[in-house]
Amino acid sequence: MPTWMTHFSDGASGTSQNLTGTPTISSGNSEVQNFNIIIRDSENQSHNRDFSLTVANYPTTTGAAVDTSVSGWRIYKYQLSDPTTASTFTFTTYATIPSLEYLVIAGGGGGAGAYGGGGGAGGMRYGSISNLGVATYTIGVGEGGTAGPAGYNSADGGNGGNSYISGGSITTITSTGGGGGANANGNASGNNGGSGGGGMDTNGGHGDGINDGGTFGTATYQGHDGGDGSGGQDYGSGGGGGAQSAGEDGVNTSPASSSPAGDGGGGRIYAITGSDVTYAGGGGGGMYTPGSGGQDYGGTGGSGIGGNGGGVSGGYDGKQGHDHTGSGGGGATYYGGYNQVGGRGGSGIVIVRFAV
């Protein structure tokens, strides 16, 4: 038997024998122990059998926070220390894991400046991998999309970065970054993405496939459309799409009696970390209002994690989406000039867990 293994003998009572001990690994992160057990009865009749026992450490990683506080689970959480710069990490297994559960969320799109659309949430994929083999896997986490600059007819909010898991024999699992909110450049439509960015004068961007039917969280179905924008005095831009629902359309009210800007789409709840957490809310849209008077508030960010549109919580710049949730940034609200900027999208996150 391996040197660390012992057994308890109770003579010839015929009850089962217990093999016990704490495995040790003399070199590397895994080894195979080959041993033989002989069973002999009181008449000296015997039977022997060869056994092979593989001893392996838990998977090792670069960059993850490892959580062992949830009974029955070992959880690896990958997130960015710098939300504006994408990064990669590793996850190395030394023995086959029967089932690995994952949540892969891309970075949220940035909201647009001036009176732009809200950013769409990063795409979301959730599922499990059976019999994850011995290999080193690469984990990529997407950054939040850049905030749209000030100025009418300037750039849209930036798209969020993709997040992914790849390596070994698995097919790469990729979630698409959220679409940036629209400014008046181009056709003023929100950008496509995991969830689409909100439109300014016209249509919101499309989320990845959710309107075509299918199962949410798969390779194609990751998020919802951004809301459409309206045109004219006192009009609102669309909210960014979220994982749970589409961004709200902006409306044209002149004079504005209530906020015409679209709210961001709702986020989606998962308990992969052991408790319910909401991820991937869309950013609220911005709005145009005269230099004095009128309603000065943009749309509300989805589920409280998408960035609010300008004017909701102080100032007229769009607000940032929450980092490590893949939520979209809010669009700016025009107020007496075009110097308002959008909110940056929130960075993504990748979480994996397996039973222990």
Side-chain angles (χ1 to χ4, degrees):
M1 293 188 299
T3 57
W4 50 264
M5 184 181 288
T6 60
H7 74 282
F8 295 104
S9 175
D10 58 2
S13 65
T15 58
S16 298
Q17 304 300 299
N18 296 321
L19 298 176
T20 187
T22 301
T24 59
I25 298 176
S26 58
S27 62
N29 289 287
S30 67
E31 64 181 22
V32 178
Q33 301 273 8
N34 297 304
F35 60 99
N36 178 271
I37 294 178
I38 301 174
I39 299 174
R40 183 174 288 108
D41 65 15
S42 60
E43 297 179 358
N44 208 32
Q45 299 173 105
S46 64
H47 178 78
N48 71 0
R49 181 175 175 182
D50 294 325
F51 290 86
S52 177
L53 178 67
T54 299
V55 181
N57 280 336
Y58 286 121
T60 58
T61 182
T62 62
V66 181
D67 183 359
T68 59
S69 65
V70 182
S71 178
W73 294 97
R74 192 172 178 91
I75 303 166
Y76 293 64
K77 182 187 296 184
Y78 300 86
Q79 57 190 41
L80 301 179
S81 57
D82 178 359
T84 63
T85 304
S87 190
T88 57
F89 310 95
T90 63
F91 176 87
T92 303
T93 65
Y94 305 101
T96 298
I97 296 174
S99 181
L100 181 82
E101 191 175 352
Y102 63 82
L103 178 65
V104 179
I105 300 175
Y115 46 98
M124 173 184 287
R125 295 187 63 188
Y126 172 82
S128 63
I129 305 168
S130 297
N131 296 317
L132 187 73
V134 178
T136 295
Y137 299 85
T138 301
I139 311 289
V141 180
E143 73 278 20
T146 55
Y152 180 79
N153 206 27
S154 64
D156 296 341
N159 288 1
N162 295 348
S163 294
Y164 61 90
I165 302 173
S166 66
S169 60
I170 68 169
T171 300
T172 300
I173 300 161
T174 302
S175 292
T176 307
N183 195 274
N185 67 312
N187 60 9
S189 294
N191 293 341
N192 299 333
S195 283
M200 186 178 191
D201 289 337
T202 54
N203 299 328
H206 289 300
D208 274 350
I210 197 69
N211 291 326
D212 301 325
T215 303
F216 183 85
T218 60
T220 306
Y221 307 100
Q222 302 177 32
H224 290 77
D225 289 355
D228 297 341
S230 63
Q233 187 87 347
D234 293 311
Y235 81 91
S237 295
Q244 183 66 28
S245 59
E248 187 179 40
D249 293 342
V251 297
N252 182 354
T253 59
S254 184
S257 57
S258 61
S259 176
D263 294 337
R268 200 171 179 95
I269 298 173
Y270 284 103
I272 191 171
T273 58
S275 58
D276 287 346
V277 179
T278 306
Y279 303 95
M287 63 167 289
Y288 180 95
T289 187
S292 61
Q295 177 59 262
D296 301 332
Y297 299 104
T300 301
S303 299
I305 54 176
N308 291 329
V312 174
S313 56
Y316 295 97
D317 294 338
K319 306 306 184 291
Q320 174 185 314
H322 285 211
D323 285 324
H324 319 312
T325 70
S327 297
T333 286
Y334 169 94
Y335 188 77
Y338 294 108
N339 58 343
Q340 293 78 24
V341 298
R344 175 177 61 78
S347 60
I349 191 168
V350 175
I351 301 171
V352 297
R353 73 175 188 176
F354 55 93
V356 293

